[in-house]
Amino acid sequence: DTAVSQTPKYLVTQMGNDKSIKCEQNLGHDTMYWYKQDSKKFLKIMFSYNNKELIINETVPNRFSPKSPDKAHLNLHINSLELGDSAVYFCASTANPSGLYDYGYTFGSGTRLTVV
Amino acid sequence: QKEVEQNSGPLSVPEGAIASLNCTYSDRGSQSFFWYRQYSGKSPELIMSIYSNGDKEDGRFTAQLNKASQYVSLLIRDSQPSDSATYLCAVGKTSYDKVIFGPGTSLSVIP
């Protein structure tokens, strides 16, 4: 069983289109994230949800809208896609730590988005 | 100053040698420190976490943390060609705060 699964794995689309990426985790984790990894391999956080509540919302164009229907799912919808949106988008989850310390992330396999 | 810095590499070591990967961070309030390994075209995979000053060993991997110097390192003993990957240092504060990733160091282990 895949712990954190993302769909689709590859997405090629034209500029101006709207697309969605889905993420599901079966680890029972309370917190989920979307990260963007650009062509230079730099991983940058976009959003974080804890038990369906948005807790981190980085400086991301409002064309990007996350949605968490329940704590096991976190989707990312992107409107009016631009060339600069081309990247690999990773979903991740982590257990809700009881103290100050984080237990690290489990990443999904990533969605490679190419905007043409 | 970037929040988490790493030498981009590539770092090349011969098989069987010790690979040393370094990371510095700017936020003195940081409390959680992680090393992730990312093979080309794959997702990051957690290999070590460390929270207290000193060394933490797990198999061939040793993480070292020095909060006073704001420095964390990863040593890989008896390096194998399968260790060739990009190693990402990640730093976090509290449980709900974001974890910041460094730019990664590319390691190549030469047979």
Side-chain angles (χ1 to χ4, degrees), chain A residues 34-51:
Chain A
W34 280 112
Y35 274 83
K36 177 181 179 181
Q37 189 168 47
D38 59 26
S39 58
K40 294 184 179 177
K41 307 299 182 187
F42 190 57
L43 260 176
K44 191 170 182 183
I45 190 167
M46 301 174 71
F47 303 103
S48 173
Y49 272 77
N50 178 261
N51 203 5

Side-chain angles (χ1 to χ4, degrees), chain A residues 9 31 33 35 37 40-43 45 48 50 55-56 58 90 96-97 99-110 112, chain B residues 4 31-32 34 36 38 40-46 49 51-52 67 86 88 93-104:
Chain A
K9 193 169 175 64
T31 310
Y33 305 83
Y35 274 83
Q37 189 168 47
K40 294 184 179 177
K41 307 299 182 187
F42 190 57
L43 260 176
I45 190 167
S48 173
N50 178 261
I55 56 172
I56 294 174
E58 286 294 285
F90 285 104
N96 186 17
L100 290 174
Y101 305 112
D102 197 335
Y103 300 146
Y105 297 166
T106 302
F107 282 86
S109 57
R112 183 173 294 277
Chain B
V4 180
Q31 305 206 31
S32 308
F34 308 91
Y36 288 82
Q38 187 174 23
S40 181
K42 301 295 185 182
S43 57
E45 171 193 13
L46 180 68
S49 60
Y51 310 116
S52 304
K67 289 185 180 180
T86 296
L88 303 168
K93 286 200 290 189
T94 62
S95 55
Y96 293 111
D97 204 354
K98 58 190 175 186
V99 168
I100 305 295
F101 283 80

Side-chain angles (χ1 to χ4, degrees), chain A residues 49-111:
Chain A
Y49 272 77
N50 178 261
N51 203 5
K52 302 193 296 176
E53 180 184 349
L54 179 67
I55 56 172
I56 294 174
N57 185 354
E58 286 294 285
T59 308
V60 175
N62 57 16
R63 298 183 293 105
F64 291 80
S65 51
K67 202 163 281 187
S68 181
D70 55 62
K71 75 173 192 177
H73 295 84
L74 180 61
N75 303 323
L76 183 66
H77 188 75
I78 316 169
N79 289 326
S80 304
L81 277 154
E82 300 177 356
L83 292 176
D85 297 332
S86 296
V88 180
Y89 292 84
F90 285 104
C91 175
S93 72
T94 190
N96 186 17
S98 57
L100 290 174
Y101 305 112
D102 197 335
Y103 300 146
Y105 297 166
T106 302
F107 282 86
S109 57
T111 296

Side-chain angles (χ1 to χ4, degrees), chain A residues 5-41:
Chain A
S5 59
Q6 289 180 234
T7 55
K9 193 169 175 64
Y10 299 97
L11 188 52
V12 181
T13 187
Q14 291 188 327
M15 273 181 9
N17 283 352
D18 302 339
K19 290 293 179 186
S20 291
I21 307 171
K22 295 186 176 183
C23 178
E24 175 182 3
Q25 54 95 3
N26 62 6
L27 298 167
H29 289 169
D30 283 346
T31 310
M32 297 184 72
Y33 305 83
W34 280 112
Y35 274 83
K36 177 181 179 181
Q37 189 168 47
D38 59 26
S39 58
K40 294 184 179 177
K41 307 299 182 187

Side-chain angles (χ1 to χ4, degrees), chain B residues 13-62:
Chain B
V13 300
E15 184 175 354
I18 296 175
S20 178
L21 304 161
N22 303 318
C23 172
T24 58
Y25 59 95
S26 60
D27 190 338
R28 285 196 171 273
S30 301
Q31 305 206 31
S32 308
F33 307 88
F34 308 91
W35 284 99
Y36 288 82
R37 177 177 61 201
Q38 187 174 23
Y39 292 113
S40 181
K42 301 295 185 182
S43 57
E45 171 193 13
L46 180 68
I47 52 172
M48 290 286 286
S49 60
I50 187 167
Y51 310 116
S52 304
N53 280 329
D55 295 359
K56 179 180 178 182
E57 188 174 317
D58 184 0
R60 295 186 296 113
F61 298 97
T62 299

